[in-house]
Amino acid sequence: MTQPRAFITGGAGFIGSRLAARLVDQGAEVTVFDSFLPQVHAGNPGNRARLEACGARIVEGDIRDRAAVDNALREAAPDIVYHLAAETGTGQSFDLPARYSEVNVMGTAHLIEAVRSHGPQVRRIVLAGTRAVYGEGAHVDAEGRLVTASARDDDAMASGDFEVRDARGTVLTPVATNADCSVAPASIYASSKLMQEYLLQQAFWGTGVAVGVLRLQNVFGPGQSLNNPYTGVLSIFCRQIQEGATLAIFEDGEITRDFVLVDDVVRAFAMMGSAAEMPGEILDIGSGQTATIRDIAGRLLELFGASRDRLRVTGAFRPGDVRHALADISRARDRLGWTPEVTLDEGLARLVEWSRTTAGTEAEAATARVGA
Ligand SMILES: NC(=O)c1ccc[n+]([C@@H]2O[C@H](COP(=O)([O-])OP(=O)(O)OC[C@H]3O[C@@H](n4cnc5c(N)ncnc54)[C@H](O)[C@@H]3O)[C@@H](O)[C@H]2O)c1
């Protein structure tokens, strides 16, 4: 597709605003539909500024409002829809199940009906999915056989045993996960994101609208809200380091994650839009590398010139947290020609640089506004 008209729900967010700027750069006409959720945007005006600078059209609206979605979609007349609008906090979702369901599930249903009623020219919809739908993800037993992992047990974790086991209690080894792994969402957030996949795939099955799903690992980088306590562990660490706080590391510090830089993720979305034929399989998007949270916290402390000891492994654990996450990115490479380009160290350096400069200024501006 060349120079398409793109409609991005959640297009003012961390990933969406960068995607909008990239698509405009590539010659697309971009409309962003976003409610500018205060939890995400307070003290983080950079994303709106980026949209204004690139010339994307901004429609401020709530995806829970069917008429607002209808109107915005009708006016934008897009060829392609990127669906990123969502409530995104795993822990918060346990406290706000209705809000998470209304935004993530009903919001997706509104989008489907709007496309059906007012978007006859829409040919592609790309969903920002999440690896959270896998729960603990793919594991093998001592013989190297793929085994289904059980949800971890509260009592075991309270006694300091954080291992992932099979149904018989045998400790398992994590391996890279792809969409062949069965889904086992472990939070209301993850369940609502899985519903988004199902709704879109079922609504457009057998129609001329192709649905693509990118299941993202932990996305990080400059621009992720430093003030949202519910998402973005590395941004939260950056803020805490700058405030002089000690970093609290959950469980025994050995939780692992696959952190992928936002620029690489945005490139994957853009490639879904421009691929001659959009991959129909679900694609996993991550760095394909894993690191412990303790190690990454240490690297961040070092980049800020602080002692690596300024962290405390707490033994605390949270519902919805999984032990290990690592993407098998071979399908994204084979079907889309995508591979991540930025190493974790380079990405962390960019994050620290940004949070030292821009973010500090933005946080001050926000505090001043709140105080005014
Ligand atoms: N960042 C990650 O690590 C990650 C990982 C996996 C999946 N994802 C998915 O990627 C997408 C984008 O995530 P992000 O990190 O950019 O988050 P973000 O919070 O920065 O962006 C989400 C955007 O959606 C908007 N929004 C929220 N509720 C809305 C509503 N009711 N109506 C309209 N807009 C609304 C917010 O204002 C925000 O701008 C989400 O769907 C998320 O589930 C993100």
Side-chain angles (χ1 to χ4, degrees), residues 4-356:
R5 277 197 297 271
F7 185 79
I8 311 178
T9 73
F14 170 45
I15 302 170
S17 60
R18 279 155 188 78
L19 174 62
R22 185 178 179 108
L23 296 178
V24 170
D25 245 19
Q26 293 176 341
E29 215 176 277
V30 176
T31 299
V32 156
F33 180 85
D34 199 296
S35 64
F36 288 85
L37 191 68
Q39 181 174 305
V40 176
H41 292 274
N44 193 17
N47 291 345
R48 187 191 276 271
R50 175 172 300 100
L51 293 175
E52 287 168 354
C54 78
R57 197 167 142 260
I58 302 173
V59 178
E60 205 158 332
D62 195 311
I63 200 153
R64 288 170 294 187
D65 177 351
R66 167 75 201 275
V69 183
D70 277 357
N71 290 338
L73 194 100
R74 191 190 308 106
E75 276 172 34
D79 315 294
I80 177 160
V81 174
Y82 296 90
H83 184 30
L84 277 70
E87 292 279 357
T88 64
T90 301
Q92 189 184 37
S93 71
F94 289 97
D95 298 327
L96 300 172
R99 192 167 109 190
Y100 273 68
S101 303
E102 282 164 11
V103 174
N104 297 356
V105 181
M106 278 305 286
T108 301
H110 288 161
L111 181 66
I112 289 166
E113 293 189 4
V115 169
R116 282 184 175 164
S117 309
H118 305 290
Q121 70 298 319
V122 173
R123 286 292 158 266
R124 292 182 184 189
I125 302 179
V126 185
L127 172 69
T130 170
R131 70 79 48 218
V133 300
Y134 297 124
E136 296 292 352
H139 284 75
V140 292
D141 64 13
E143 278 76 47
R145 288 178 302 231
L146 273 173
V147 181
T148 303
S150 300
R152 290 186 296 159
D153 179 65
D154 275 19
D155 292 336
M157 290 202 277
S159 68
D161 175 1
F162 301 108
E163 299 289 359
V164 176
R165 299 170 189 275
D166 66 12
R168 284 176 306 186
T170 312
V171 174
L172 302 175
T173 305
V175 292
T177 299
N178 65 28
D180 293 343
C181 180
S182 12
V183 290
S187 68
I188 285 160
Y189 165 67
S191 298
S192 70
K193 291 295 290 181
L194 184 58
M195 274 297 285
Q196 293 186 322
E197 292 186 11
Y198 287 155
L199 292 178
L200 286 168
Q201 286 163 335
Q202 289 156 6
F204 295 106
W205 186 87
T207 70
V209 181
V211 172
V213 178
L214 299 181
R215 285 187 181 159
L216 312 179
Q217 298 279 326
N218 280 60
V219 186
F220 79 103
Q224 190 163 34
S225 173
L226 296 159
N227 305 310
N228 184 351
Y230 301 105
T231 57
V233 62
L234 300 192
S235 292
I236 292 171
F237 282 165
C238 284
R239 196 195 66 228
Q240 291 174 336
I241 294 170
Q242 286 174 294
E243 290 170 354
T246 297
L247 306 184
I249 311 292
F250 289 116
E251 302 188 8
D252 55 359
E254 298 305 306
I255 292 177
T256 62
R257 289 291 179 268
D258 175 338
F259 285 100
V260 57
L261 191 72
V262 65
D263 307 57
D264 278 327
V265 172
V266 162
R267 198 162 41 79
F269 276 104
M271 289 172 83
M272 289 291 276
S274 59
E277 202 169 317
M278 188 170 72
E281 302 103 319
I282 292 169
L283 302 181
D284 290 274
I285 299 294
S287 67
Q289 309 286 323
T290 186
T292 66
I293 296 289
R294 187 204 323 240
D295 174 46
I296 296 204
R299 290 199 228 179
L300 277 177
L301 283 162
E302 229 164 51
L303 284 165
F304 275 103
S307 161
R308 261 189 176 252
D309 299 337
R310 237 179 64 196
L311 52 81
R312 192 168 54 87
V313 176
T314 63
F317 57 94
R318 302 179 299 183
D321 262 358
V322 297
R323 180 71 169 166
H324 301 292
L326 172 63
D328 171 357
I329 54 176
S330 55
R331 253 175 220 159
R333 186 191 58 221
D334 297 345
R335 311 283 199 273
L336 197 59
W338 175 89
T339 47
E341 288 178 347
V342 185
T343 62
L344 178 59
D345 280 332
E346 171 59 24
L348 292 178
R350 290 189 200 174
L351 172 66
V352 168
E353 174 64 20
W354 170 77
S355 66
R356 272 195 154 129

Side-chain angles (χ1 to χ4, degrees), residues 64 89 98 270 361 367:
R64 288 170 294 187
T361 321
T367 315

